[in-house]
Amino acid sequence: MPSCVIQVHVRVMVKIIKRIPFDLCDPVGILFYGSIYALVHQALEEALPQIGISWQEWFNSDQGAPVRRVECDYYRPMKGNEVFDIEINFVNPTDSSITVHYLIKKENVTYCEVKVIKVFVDRKTMTKTKMPSKYKAIFG
């Protein structure tokens, strides 16, 4: 059971189902600790169209949203070939950032929690910019 609970105001939530592939596991057969970031990024790519943001808009526009900070708590080992629900919550929007909160669960038991803060930047100058108005409308 998680030792602390992060309370956030959730406006947008998406659930993605993912299987842990062998290539993300360590020799013991559990998800390698650093692979969680690849897994949640894959889930993000699947979630964006479900909330009205196309791949083209998110990844090929004049603005980008690189990662500013990540946090991860592992509560139970995730074994290769197991299937998990990844609940993706887009929370705490500001003028220039969004927090993406991931809960990785199986049968309503939380195995891992990841928080990623993304900051919007101008791709040419790599300076912080305001979140696009379309995203503001989606994320609240």
Side-chain angles (χ1 to χ4, degrees):
M1 197 64 143
S3 60
C4 70
V5 176
I6 299 172
Q7 292 187 352
V8 291
H9 171 64
V10 177
R11 178 169 157 80
V12 180
M13 194 278 277
V14 177
K15 186 187 288 186
I16 301 294
I17 298 170
K18 297 295 279 181
R19 183 184 61 79
I20 305 295
F22 174 76
D23 65 337
L24 295 184
C25 293
D26 65 15
V28 179
I30 61 173
L31 183 72
F32 175 68
Y33 77 93
S35 295
I36 193 68
Y37 301 112
L39 189 71
V40 297
H41 183 80
Q42 290 169 7
L44 176 65
E45 286 191 28
E46 291 179 36
L48 289 172
Q50 293 184 37
I51 62 171
I53 301 172
S54 71
W55 194 97
Q56 183 73 17
E57 287 174 296
W58 189 262
F59 294 104
N60 281 343
S61 69
D62 291 339
Q63 289 180 301
V67 172
R68 182 183 159 274
R69 178 180 174 84
V70 295
E71 296 177 23
C72 182
D73 289 307
Y74 295 93
Y75 304 116
R76 292 173 173 73
M78 293 177 279
K79 297 178 183 174
N81 205 39
E82 287 184 320
V83 176
F84 292 90
D85 294 326
I86 302 178
E87 293 179 8
I88 305 169
N89 298 287
F90 298 88
V91 298
N92 305 331
T94 70
D95 282 342
S96 60
S97 69
I98 186 72
T99 300
V100 187
H101 183 249
Y102 303 86
L103 285 173
I104 295 94
K105 298 179 174 185
K106 184 169 74 170
E107 299 170 359
N108 266 347
V109 175
T110 301
Y111 280 66
C112 185
E113 185 174 10
V114 180
K115 183 172 86 170
V116 178
I117 300 173
K118 296 178 138 311
V119 175
F120 291 89
V121 299
D122 179 291
R123 287 185 191 263
K124 291 180 184 162
T125 63
M126 293 308 286
T127 56
K128 184 167 73 170
T129 187
K130 291 190 181 250
M131 182 187 305
S133 57
K134 176 182 178 177
Y135 301 171
K136 267 283 203 212
I138 292 169
F139 299 135

